[in-house]
Amino acid sequence: MKTLKLATALVASVALPAAAFATDLEVTHWWTSGGEAAAVAELAKAFDASGDKWIDGAIAGGGGTARPIMISRITGGDPMGATQFNHGQQALELVEAGLMLDLTDVAEANNWKEVVFPPSLLDACTVDGRIYCAPVNIHSPEWLWLSNKAYADAGIPVPTNWNEFVETAPQLEAAGKIPLALGNQPWQSNLAFGAISIAVAGLDVWKQVNVEKNMDVAAGPEYAAVFQAVADARKLAAKSTVQDWNQATNLVITGEAGGQIMGDWAQGEFQVANQVAGTDYTCLPGLGLNAYLSTGGDAFYFPKNKSADVEEAQKRLAALLVSPEVQVAFNLKKGSLPIRGDVDLAAANDCMKKGLELLAQGNLVPSGDMAWSPDVQKQNEDLLVEFWKTDMAPEVAHQQWVANLKSGL
């Protein structure tokens, strides 16, 4: 396996097509929280400084709201200049329909195959040997974020893993705290389930189900225990009535909630609130039980456009997004990890350093977007929303979850 190396200086140059004149590009994305806005501003600043113009097309409501709008515009003949998708199969049908710009020449000119790590990030947007996306970060969703203030108010130590978190929940409640902050957006329920799955069932079992597609294991006792654990966790989140994920993060920041299961993008919100990792909050990758990262994250795709000038600007932006300077500036604000291993992240906080160590060690699993089709993911997202928000029996949810997986084989 390729080894991640953190260089002490920015060593890579970027091969950019020559610009005849400045070009406006509308860029659609769903980064609208305080931390996300600060991060995307770094991308816009870099593109504007290069001579072109970033026209921001932020869509509120998260990916579940934004993606259908983005796809409708592309298929309806009103393409934007660039658009965000997650790593995986979200844009596959658009690529196969011939609606996305081929970036292979940009990737080859800038040696993406040599610098992008892990290689699965490029593999996820490679179709028939051609590259169609510019990956910008690695986001692992399986983190437990804890409020040091909430535990100090309750007079108990900050937990070191998920089991301790569950055990101390009654003491948090007695101190007037919400044990688990969880927003009402569907993807948050799905994310929490995925994190608890590996924490309870373990990495090997998770891989048997999601990589090897072993449905006997999916229907077995290990995942029965997962659904029981989620049923227990939903009680801890019963008084969490916020909608957006960043509102749930704010409950942790203010000490109103003990913890939140959320991706490392939560770091952006802590940073905007001037919170210090290790002092004001604690981060536990893999919920403190399994030290690993999943290789989710974000990439930009470039819908085909009839204008040659727009296409040249699209390729300039693609190259810029993967450049060392932009990778550092963006990911330090976003809380995510860079997609290349030759950049200097000496300014990383304690939580990002934990992630970098895991990335260097190769403790990685593919994201759900890479493992299952959008149809299967949507079915299980709907199921898990119902499971989290009702008193559905764990056995019933487990049985339906397995049936949904089987439908994607």
Side-chain angles (χ1 to χ4, degrees), residues 255-325:
E256 297 175 65
Q260 178 191 25
I261 298 173
M262 187 48 58
D264 46 14
W265 52 88
Q267 290 193 85
E269 303 305 302
F270 287 107
Q271 183 169 302
V272 168
N274 296 316
Q275 297 259 299
V276 177
T279 300
D280 300 305
Y281 66 96
T282 296
C283 55
L284 301 177
L287 310 194
L289 295 177
N290 290 282
Y292 75 99
L293 300 174
S294 62
T295 50
D298 304 288
F300 279 91
Y301 288 76
F302 299 81
K304 285 185 177 178
N305 191 288
K306 295 179 181 179
S307 167
D309 292 331
V310 169
E311 181 174 318
E312 289 178 4
Q314 289 174 315
K315 291 186 176 182
R316 290 194 292 271
L317 177 56
L320 192 69
L321 293 172
V322 183
S323 67
E325 296 86 352

Side-chain angles (χ1 to χ4, degrees), residues 1 87-88 117-121 124 137-143 191 194-199 201-213 223 285-286 290-297 337 355 358-372:
M1 175 176 287
H87 300 315
F117 181 82
S120 60
L121 302 180
N137 63 7
I138 299 169
H139 265 318
S140 183
E142 302 87 358
W143 292 71
L191 181 150
I196 293 173
S197 294
I198 296 184
L203 276 171
D204 290 341
V205 171
W206 187 93
K207 289 179 180 178
Q208 288 176 53
V209 172
N210 294 280
V211 178
E212 300 171 17
K213 304 295 194 288
Y223 266 90
N290 290 282
Y292 75 99
L293 300 174
S294 62
T295 50
L337 301 180
L358 293 173
L359 187 61
Q361 293 165 6
N363 289 8
L364 308 172
V365 296
S367 72
D369 290 325
M370 298 179 187
W372 297 99

